[in-house]
């Protein structure tokens, strides 16, 4: 992701996505989001077509909004923690 | 947790009650580990040191959680846009209709169909009913024969049973030991009387994938309609109704991280497949499924389909990674484990294992901090061995000891490790108690024993 979007904006989007995803109260959603975002950015690093890069960037921005909303919804209906979260 | 508290001296309990939950847990864990050290002789048989919390979810074939991205698409239609999508006279209707039509397109895109060929139903069960009964009834005057398999989902088998009562002839194809049907047998079963072949794409219990393209080609050459129940396959493997010669396809919302209570049915338009509707009413969904289309659910199904299309390769790679990791762990630690169904022609997210000399239900009870099932959810209340396992020729004792591990998009590596470790521990523990296992260890072939009859 070099030409279409300044690197600093991409990095900032990545950081916001990760920061928001950490707020998911649901263990599975939280870990999936973190893994998916990391892998998506790794994959998109190889993109060269500016149009595609822009599209992916917009998709990331949309997802940031979704995550922000869903974190709020998830926090309203929290459940007991999973067995695996209590182990450590 | 409460069991441990009961075992503590009453004085300590009083103290515990005054502490915060956090401290309580820490103390409990300390007590538990201490217990472990002192009772090392009982440790192997003890179920006491189980952790606290909600069980891990390993039943992705029964249902999946709604993906937050899907819920996000649905919420506006639950909160703000309440119009009836069939209302043509005002804006409330139009905005709902737009949502429904977009979803129709999303579903169609996923399976390579035209949006006009998708009708929304209440789920794969209804789609299967409309397909099997609808086609059978419509073409009944000339054709009164239907071909299906022994390992179909209950709703297809039950629809066939109902048709049998009405005088239809049904052929239930057997499957091989790997769960796959034999194409020659299928071809032999087809007659000029046959109106429909109904064979599921991926089995819900053992995960085997039928050769759908080949089956479709056979049906096409004989001008017989081919219906496939793809509830477990849509969004997980690439499907294309045209290249696979599928005439009818059932889709379920809640198996692909969408909402429950919604599904879709693909019905081919060219050459046209006609069905007799089951439900009478306002003639919605081209007259094949009357009843107001549930906008929020349908929008959720559409979003889930679009997401599945986008994530298919990524999810599939993840499933393979998890399944291989899980199986490696089990196979290196345990012997006498049989994987039910073909190991190659299968969906990796469905791992059905039989642990010989262990009773499946007792293993399920022991693994209570993992949500598992011995087979399909519909029959999980009964202790009968699954008819799918009987169809693939599994021995009675092995059919009783089967467990289905269902992996999904949200399953983590840590969960897989935890489950594998727990499974290994409890299988070893239960085998340790089993006299049969002892005999096997001593080299006695159980099958040769003549049990005395009373």
């Amino acid at each position: 992701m070099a030409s279409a979007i300044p690197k600093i904006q991409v990095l900032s989007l990545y950081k916001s996505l990760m920061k928001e995803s950490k707020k998911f109260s649901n263990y599975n959603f939280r870990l999936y989001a973190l893994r998916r975002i990391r892998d998506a950015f790794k994959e998109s690093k190889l993109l060269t077509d500016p149009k595609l890069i822009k599209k992916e960037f917009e998709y990331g921005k949309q997802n940031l909004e979704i995550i922000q909303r869903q974190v709020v919804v998830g926090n309203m209906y929290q459940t007991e923690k999973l067995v695996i979260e209590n182990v450590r | 947790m409460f069991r441990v508290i009961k075992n503590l001296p009453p004085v300590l309990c009083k103290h515990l009650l005054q502490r915060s939950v956090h401290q309580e847990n820490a103390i409990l864990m300390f007590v538990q580990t201490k217990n472990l050290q002192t009772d090392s002789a009982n440790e192997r048989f003890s179920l006491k040191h189980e952790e606290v919390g909600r069980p891990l979810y390993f039943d992705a074939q029964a249902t999946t959680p709604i993906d937050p991205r899907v819920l996000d698409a649905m919420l506006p239609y639950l909160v703000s846009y309440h119009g009836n999508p069939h209302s043509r006279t005002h804006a409330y209707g139009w905005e709902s209709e737009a949502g429904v039509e977009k979803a129709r397109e999303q579903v169609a895109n996923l399976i390579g169909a035209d949006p006009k060929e998708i009708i929304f139903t209440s789920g794969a069960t209804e789609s299967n009913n409309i397909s099997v009964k609808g086609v059978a009834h419509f073409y009944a005057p000339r054709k009164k024969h239907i071909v299906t398999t022994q390992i179909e989902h209950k709703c297809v088998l039950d629809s066939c049973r109902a048709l049998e009562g009405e005088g239809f002839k049904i052929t239930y194809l057997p499957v091989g030991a790997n769960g796959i049907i034999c194409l020659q047998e299928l071809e032999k079963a087809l007659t000029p009387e046959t109106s429909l072949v109904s064979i599921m794409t991926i089995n819900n219990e053992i995960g085997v994938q039928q050769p759908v393209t080949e089956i479709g080609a056979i049906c096409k050459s004989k001008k017989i309609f081919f219906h496939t129940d793809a509830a477990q396959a849509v969004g997980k493997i690439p499907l294309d109704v045209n290249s696979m010669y599928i005439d009818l396809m059932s889709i379920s919302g809640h198996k692909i991280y969408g909402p429950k209570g919604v599904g879709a049915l693909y019905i081919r338009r060219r050459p046209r497949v006609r069905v007799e509707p089951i439900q009478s009413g306002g003639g919605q969904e081209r007259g094949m499924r009357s009843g107001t289309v549930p906008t929020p659910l349908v929008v959720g199904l559409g979003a889930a389909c679009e997401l599945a299309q986008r994530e298919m390769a990524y999810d599939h790679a993840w499933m393979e990674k998890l399944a291989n990791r899980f199986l490696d762990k089990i196979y290196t630690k345990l012997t006498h484990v049989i994987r039910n169904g073909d190991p190659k022609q299968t969906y990796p997210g469905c791992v059905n294992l039989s642990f010989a000399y262990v009773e499946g239900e007792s293993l399920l009870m022991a693994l209570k901090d993992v949500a598992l099932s011995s087979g399909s959810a519909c029959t999980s209340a009964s202790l009968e061995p699954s008819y799918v396992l009987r169809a693939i020729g599994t021995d009675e004792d092995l059919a009783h000891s089967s467990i289905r591990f269902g992996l999904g998009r949200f399953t983590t590596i840590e969960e897989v490790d935890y489950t594998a470790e727990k499974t290994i521990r409890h299988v070893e523990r239960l085998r340790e108690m089993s006299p049969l296992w002892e005999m096997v260890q001593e080299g006695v072939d159980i099958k040769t024993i003549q049990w005395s009859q009373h």
Side-chain angles (χ1 to χ4, degrees), chain B residues 383-405:
Chain B
L383 289 171
E384 280 272 295
S386 125
Y387 65 93
V388 175
L389 293 180
R390 266 183 288 165
I392 63 171
T394 311
D395 287 336
E396 183 89 352
D397 53 331
L398 282 176
H400 270 291
S401 62
S402 80
I403 289 191
R404 179 182 68 183
F405 297 88

Side-chain angles (χ1 to χ4, degrees), chain B residues 304-315:
Chain B
C305 282
E306 189 182 298
L307 205 53
Q309 196 170 8
R310 206 187 156 93
E311 302 287 338
M312 197 182 291
Y314 183 80
D315 279 351

Side-chain angles (χ1 to χ4, degrees), chain B residues 1-286:
Chain B
M1 185 168 147
F2 291 105
R3 205 169 358 173
V4 179
I5 292 181
K6 253 191 261 162
N7 292 344
L8 292 173
V11 188
L12 189 51
C13 272
K14 230 183 226 169
H15 267 287
L16 271 180
L17 291 174
Q18 287 159 4
R19 281 165 215 264
S20 70
V21 183
H22 222 76
Q23 281 172 312
E24 200 176 298
N25 273 345
I27 291 173
L28 276 178
M29 269 179 203
F30 169 72
V31 174
Q32 282 170 346
T33 44
K34 217 176 166 200
N35 262 354
L36 269 181
Q37 281 158 3
T38 47
D39 292 345
S40 64
N42 289 330
E43 185 199 345
R44 267 154 98 195
F45 299 112
S46 161
L47 280 174
K48 265 191 188 151
H49 45 278
E50 298 292 345
E51 287 81 4
V52 194
R54 250 167 99 76
L56 308 179
Y57 193 71
F58 268 74
D59 204 5
Q61 274 71 41
T63 189
T64 50
I66 296 188
D67 191 298
R69 291 166 286 189
V70 173
L71 181 61
D72 196 70
M74 287 169 67
L75 276 173
Y77 292 89
L78 288 163
V79 178
S80 311
Y81 309 126
H82 72 270
N84 185 326
H86 311 294
S87 298
R88 288 288 167 81
T89 48
H90 50 69
Y92 287 85
W94 302 332
E95 62 201 16
S96 291
E97 194 192 11
V100 168
E101 291 316 311
K102 187 184 167 207
R104 208 184 294 280
E105 218 164 280
Q106 288 167 322
V107 177
N109 281 342
L110 178 61
I111 57 170
D114 187 276
K116 287 186 195 130
E117 298 174 308
I118 303 293
I119 69 165
F120 290 115
T121 64
S122 68
T125 293
E126 192 185 348
S127 300
N128 285 336
N129 270 273
I130 295 177
S131 304
V132 175
K133 290 179 185 164
V135 168
H137 284 150
F138 193 89
Y139 296 93
R142 285 174 292 124
K143 297 176 158 191
K144 294 201 96 171
H145 179 227
I146 285 171
V147 177
T148 184
T149 70
Q150 289 176 356
I151 62 165
E152 288 305 299
H153 191 265
K154 272 272 159 76
C155 60
V156 171
L157 292 176
D158 240 38
S159 298
C160 289
R161 189 88 358 121
L163 288 172
E164 258 180 316
E166 297 171 25
F168 284 85
K169 249 175 59 195
I170 316 279
T171 305
Y172 299 95
L173 286 177
V175 291
N178 59 358
I180 312 279
I181 64 149
C182 168
L183 291 172
Q184 281 84 32
E185 269 180 62
L186 169 69
E187 230 170 334
K188 261 189 264 165
L190 301 178
T191 68
E193 277 245 292
T194 312
S195 61
L196 182 77
V197 171
S198 177
I199 294 174
M200 71 201 320
T201 316
I202 289 178
N203 184 270
N204 54 322
E205 288 195 27
I206 52 177
V208 294
Q209 193 182 329
Q210 303 292 348
V212 174
T213 312
E214 287 81 354
I215 298 169
I218 292 173
C219 294
K220 195 181 174 182
S221 71
K222 307 223 163 168
K223 293 210 164 57
I224 293 167
F225 294 130
F226 173 38
H227 164 248
T228 186
D229 172 7
Q232 300 286 349
V234 164
K236 290 167 187 163
I237 57 165
L239 289 174
D240 185 280
V241 287
N242 292 316
S243 71
M244 292 171 143
Y245 312 108
I246 295 164
D247 296 310
L248 301 111
M249 183 197 272
S250 305
I251 297 167
S252 173
H254 71 114
K255 312 275 188 200
I256 53 170
Y257 312 95
K260 291 161 189 54
V262 69
L265 173 63
Y266 159 79
I267 301 191
R268 185 173 284 284
R269 270 159 67 92
R270 255 179 241 126
R272 191 165 170 204
V273 182
R274 318 224 13 208
V275 296
E276 200 184 279
I278 290 175
Q279 219 160 263
S280 317
Q284 289 93 343
E285 298 294 289
R286 288 168 46 218

Side-chain angles (χ1 to χ4, degrees), chain A residues 24 27-29 31-32 35-36 39 56 59 63 66 69-70 73 79-84 86-87, chain B residues 29 52-56 66 68-69 71-72 75 310-311 314 318 369 409-410 412 414-415 418:
Chain A
F24 266 119
Y27 164 86
N28 293 86
F29 292 165
L31 266 75
Y32 171 76
R35 167 169 66 88
R36 190 68 191 98
D39 290 344
E56 283 297 303
Y59 186 68
N63 270 286
I66 293 178
R69 284 193 294 264
Q70 290 304 311
V73 174
T79 58
E80 198 189 338
K81 280 193 170 178
L82 288 185
V83 161
I84 201 160
N86 292 329
V87 171
Chain B
M29 269 179 203
V52 194
R54 250 167 99 76
L56 308 179
I66 296 188
R69 291 166 286 189
L71 181 61
D72 196 70
L75 276 173
R310 206 187 156 93
E311 302 287 338
Y314 183 80
W318 184 246
D369 44 7
R409 180 183 284 165
F410 300 109
T412 66
E414 289 76 27
E415 285 180 309
Y418 182 92

